[in-house]
Amino acid sequence: MMRELCTKLSQIVKETGEMLLSATDVENLGGVSEKGTAANLVTKYDVAVQEQLISEIKKIIPQAVFISEEKENDSSLVKAPYLFIIDPIDGTANFVHDYRHSCISLAMFNEGECVIGVVYDPFQNELFSAVRGGGAFLNGKQVSVTERDVEYGIYTFGSSPYYKNTLGAKSFEIAKCFFDLFGDLRRSGAAALDLAYLAAGRIDLFFELKLSPWDYAAGMLLVEEAGGVISNMKGEPLSFVSTDSVIAATKKSYDAAMRELKMLNFS
């Protein structure tokens, strides 16, 4: 049943992704506005994608409830039987700048447990999906995290650009520490895709000091079903009622990174 539902939800997400592909000159014509800082942008496409996803999901699950980036949210919904956590466009700044590295992220929760995760990058036509207990997939082919040694690995990180004054220096301190540990680093600007790439074996670790549940809900399940480890940076389960730090990795990389964080006295 869940696999069939995941297929239906994946199709909805793919069809909605056409909005991103059809967008032109978003920076000037996309109704771009700021949410508090110049780094935190929203476009008319974010809102349109969100509205279409909610409308289409309600056609197949009328009792569905939603937590989504571009709406007022009620955190008490986390325990609902059909909760969807949505990021209509993860990587909005990339989208505005025509960087072509953005995605739609959708997760379904059942009474507090994530049971379906879908992350779709329309620019690469890559759809990552997972059902609890059923593995992680990329365009229908099962994927898993890598087993490479840490010194040969690549890690990615988010610089917490909405919180530069409070988290900027700490983010780069940790990034420098991990740079000495890993082979190299990347900075992509779309957390959901970073988590999907980890699940697909393309990278070995991702971290960011402050994200919202819609940034990591679907990606969390992808990572877990691909054999990876994900938590907040204290090693605790992720929160879905508030913002949280996130670290996700292969088992080897996670253990090595957590040892480094302990030496940094991270809290």
Side-chain angles (χ1 to χ4, degrees):
M1 176 184 173
M2 282 296 173
R3 175 57 61 188
E4 181 181 345
L5 180 55
C6 182
T7 299
K8 291 179 180 179
L9 293 171
S10 296
Q11 187 60 36
I12 289 171
V13 170
K14 286 197 73 171
E15 290 172 359
T16 306
E18 292 297 319
M19 289 189 190
L20 278 67
L21 294 177
S22 66
T24 57
D25 195 11
V26 176
E27 191 163 11
N28 294 310
L29 303 176
V32 182
S33 58
E34 297 176 12
K35 296 185 293 182
T37 74
N40 193 357
L41 304 176
V42 61
T43 73
K44 66 181 183 182
Y45 296 97
D46 294 79
V47 177
V49 168
Q50 176 176 281
E51 290 177 349
Q52 181 162 320
L53 288 173
I54 290 173
S55 174
E56 293 300 314
I57 291 168
K58 277 196 161 292
K59 289 178 183 178
I60 60 173
I61 307 176
Q63 64 271 48
V65 294
F66 300 87
I67 291 176
S68 187
E69 183 171 10
E70 310 305 339
K71 66 186 284 293
E72 293 294 324
N73 293 304
D74 178 359
S75 61
S76 68
L77 295 175
V78 167
K79 296 295 183 180
Y82 293 100
L83 167 67
F84 288 85
I85 299 182
I86 297 171
D87 193 338
I89 303 178
D90 186 44
T92 299
N94 287 349
F95 180 60
V96 169
H97 291 85
D98 197 27
Y99 195 74
R100 303 182 73 78
H101 187 80
S102 306
C103 67
I104 299 171
S105 176
L106 181 149
M108 184 181 123
F109 279 64
N110 180 29
E111 298 179 349
E113 180 181 53
C114 186
V115 293
I116 293 175
V118 177
V119 173
Y120 178 52
D121 175 358
F123 302 104
Q124 299 297 324
N125 191 28
E126 291 190 328
L127 189 136
F128 303 84
S129 64
V131 172
R132 174 70 62 187
F137 295 81
L138 167 56
N139 290 345
K141 181 180 179 181
Q142 190 163 7
V143 293
S144 64
V145 299
T146 74
E147 296 183 359
R148 67 175 66 92
D149 291 334
V150 177
E151 61 265 33
Y152 298 105
I154 290 174
Y155 75 93
T156 62
F157 78 108
S159 53
S160 300
Y162 309 161
Y163 314 101
K164 288 180 182 180
N165 292 339
T166 55
L167 297 177
K170 190 68 174 180
S171 296
F172 283 94
E173 179 186 358
I174 296 170
K176 172 59 171 69
C177 177
F178 288 175
F179 187 64
D180 294 336
L181 194 64
F182 286 82
D184 205 351
L185 67 86
R186 303 289 184 268
R187 166 79 173 104
S188 79
L193 280 176
D194 283 331
L195 293 170
Y197 280 24
L198 171 63
R202 296 174 178 174
I203 62 170
D204 301 80
L205 179 143
F206 164 77
F207 82 89
E208 187 155 359
L209 296 187
K210 192 169 184 178
L211 289 170
S212 295
W214 44 80
D215 295 310
Y216 53 78
M220 177 193 72
L221 187 61
L222 290 171
V223 169
E224 290 177 342
E225 288 297 320
V229 183
I230 185 167
S231 70
N232 70 19
M233 296 187 71
K234 297 178 182 178
E236 302 165 342
L238 293 172
S239 171
F240 291 95
V241 297
S242 64
T243 58
D244 209 346
S245 60
V246 176
I247 183 166
T250 67
K251 185 65 168 63
K252 285 181 182 178
S253 295
Y254 183 86
D255 290 345
M258 294 304 282
R259 286 194 295 268
E260 293 296 319
L261 290 177
K262 187 174 182 179
M263 286 190 286
L264 285 176
N265 295 316
F266 177 82
S267 60

